[in-house]
Amino acid sequence: MRRYGTSAAELGLSYGGSQDSVLLDASYPASPDAAIRGVGQLWRADLNGYEPLLQAEPSEPAWSEASLRWLVAPEPAIPQQRQDSLRVGLGDVAAIKTTADMFAQLDDQFGGEHARRAVIQYLSNEVDPQLQGR
């Protein structure tokens, strides 16, 4: 975001600088664990207003690579489960689906920007820990 005619980075307010810059080099994840870590990082960078991510254009080669890798990649290993991780049940899955349906309805009725920040915050704060659960 730009305030006072300068960017957050120029004001020294940006988050994760070099950490976030790695996100722009994202490729198809090698494992489900890498995919889970990747989406969590993307959600946090989005919430922290990492401008290069928010202003990036879709990459046609990345779409092709992801589609091809998804089709021909070997069967992924089951994500690692840690004993101290959050336990996720069918009720949790139903709650996520219902919430996603609600955000989809808002998007259909009012457009994608209407509740975008709320959905990213929900994904980052509520869904990400469950993706790392068991």
Side-chain angles (χ1 to χ4, degrees):
M1 249 193 265
R2 285 201 164 267
R3 299 284 189 253
Y4 308 111
T6 186
S7 71
E10 292 167 331
L11 291 171
L13 300 174
S14 64
Y15 167 79
S18 62
Q19 265 184 320
D20 289 342
S21 65
V22 173
L23 296 172
L24 299 178
D25 297 327
S27 60
Y28 191 82
S31 69
D33 288 317
I36 291 167
R37 282 190 306 276
V39 296
Q41 288 175 319
L42 287 168
W43 291 331
R44 283 187 298 280
D46 189 315
L47 285 174
N48 290 315
Y50 183 59
E51 288 183 33
L53 175 66
L54 299 175
Q55 296 172 357
E57 295 292 323
S59 167
E60 288 183 35
W63 281 106
S64 299
E65 178 203 355
S67 301
L68 181 62
R69 293 271 315 266
W70 180 77
L71 287 170
V72 300
E75 188 69 30
I78 295 173
Q80 293 180 348
Q81 293 183 358
R82 294 171 302 280
Q83 293 301 323
D84 61 341
S85 63
L86 178 67
R87 188 176 184 102
V88 179
L90 291 176
D92 299 308
V93 174
I96 291 170
K97 181 176 180 348
T98 301
T99 305
D101 291 344
M102 179 204 61
F103 280 117
Q105 184 179 10
L106 284 170
D107 180 46
D108 290 344
Q109 191 168 0
F110 300 108
E113 278 302 310
H114 180 71
R116 183 180 178 284
R117 182 151 178 90
V119 73
I120 298 296
Q121 189 145 14
Y122 173 74
L123 292 168
S124 182
N125 293 339
E126 302 296 326
V127 177
D128 187 37
Q130 293 185 38
L131 287 174
Q132 297 176 38
R134 56 186 173 99

